[in-house]
Amino acid sequence: RHSLARHRRRALAKMREEVDLIEEIDVNSVECLNSATGKDWGNCVKQGYREDARLLLTSDDDEQIIMTLPFKQLVNLTSLVVVGPDDDTRPKTVKLFVNKPNLSFDNCGKKPVATIALTDAQSRGGERVELEYTDFQNVRVLGVFVEDNVGGGDVTNVTKIVLQGHPVQTTNMSDLKSC
């Protein structure tokens, strides 16, 4: 009995550990608005691509980019990393929206859950941005709006986005047996 309780405590502690949520992103449903052809979201989000600083998500018509990142299950986000190249095209201001699956340039002006003015250490050096825990619980979809870049030019480049947190453990009602 004591070993079972100890096992449950360890499982709960592990569940709450912060992990890279790359495996939780529903990559077939990701949407990206205003990305240049061949310079899409996969370059900065997908494992293996985001580690190569030569692969970029590049804006097309102007400096703004919107990504809608759906998850396979509910997650609690604790931090993120947003990195650009070591020049003036890297992101400056990022706005985050929670559970807004239809984010577009028409509605991204509404109040975001968080507005982040990236520091050089964050946008150039990959330092994590800690998120307000209570604002990022039970996230099904994360909207990322890159509003502008460091240089104020028409092109924004993103080399890496990492989302960290943990999946929310839920009960699958179909797994329950009747009495």
Side-chain angles (χ1 to χ4, degrees):
R1 193 177 275 205
H2 291 290
S3 64
L4 181 59
R6 187 177 19 231
H7 176 71
R8 284 185 181 154
R9 281 194 302 272
R10 282 188 196 143
L12 283 172
K14 185 175 182 178
M15 192 171 68
R16 287 183 169 68
E17 287 178 15
E18 188 175 273
V19 297
D20 182 346
L21 293 171
I22 186 70
E23 296 298 323
E24 299 303 324
I25 296 173
D26 180 1
V27 295
N28 293 324
S29 299
V30 172
E31 292 182 6
C32 187
L33 303 177
N34 197 37
S35 62
T37 304
K39 304 280 188 172
D40 67 2
W41 65 269
N43 290 343
C44 69
V45 176
K46 288 183 178 178
Q47 193 82 38
Y49 292 77
R50 66 183 183 186
E51 287 77 22
D52 186 342
R54 296 170 299 166
L55 296 176
L56 305 169
L57 163 61
T58 300
S59 65
D60 191 19
D61 292 326
D62 59 23
E63 74 282 7
Q64 298 181 333
I65 301 170
I66 293 178
M67 278 191 297
T68 304
L69 302 165
F71 295 98
K72 296 174 187 173
Q73 63 177 316
L74 293 175
V75 298
N76 292 339
L77 294 173
T78 54
S79 64
L80 83 152
V81 174
V82 179
V83 180
D86 193 14
D87 61 28
D88 286 349
T89 65
R90 70 183 182 280
K92 178 181 176 184
T93 308
V94 175
K95 294 183 178 182
L96 302 176
F97 297 83
V98 172
N99 299 330
K100 304 277 188 227
N102 299 315
L103 193 60
S104 69
F105 289 106
D106 292 334
N107 62 18
C108 67
K110 295 180 180 176
K111 186 168 172 48
V113 173
T115 299
I116 302 162
L118 296 169
T119 66
D120 275 351
Q122 292 165 337
S123 68
R124 185 183 285 173
E127 186 177 289
R128 291 181 352 176
V129 176
E130 298 297 327
L131 300 174
E132 184 64 42
Y133 182 75
T134 56
D135 292 338
F136 292 91
Q137 292 184 30
N138 298 314
V139 178
R140 170 80 57 207
V141 177
L142 181 69
V144 179
F145 172 44
V146 179
E147 186 173 46
D148 55 12
N149 58 53
V150 173
D154 286 341
V155 175
T156 297
N157 287 302
V158 183
T159 56
K160 180 188 283 189
I161 293 180
V162 179
L163 303 172
Q164 296 170 317
H166 58 272
V168 174
Q169 301 299 340
T170 58
T171 302
N172 184 346
M173 299 306 279
S174 63
D175 290 342
L176 297 178
K177 295 180 182 174
S178 60
C179 299

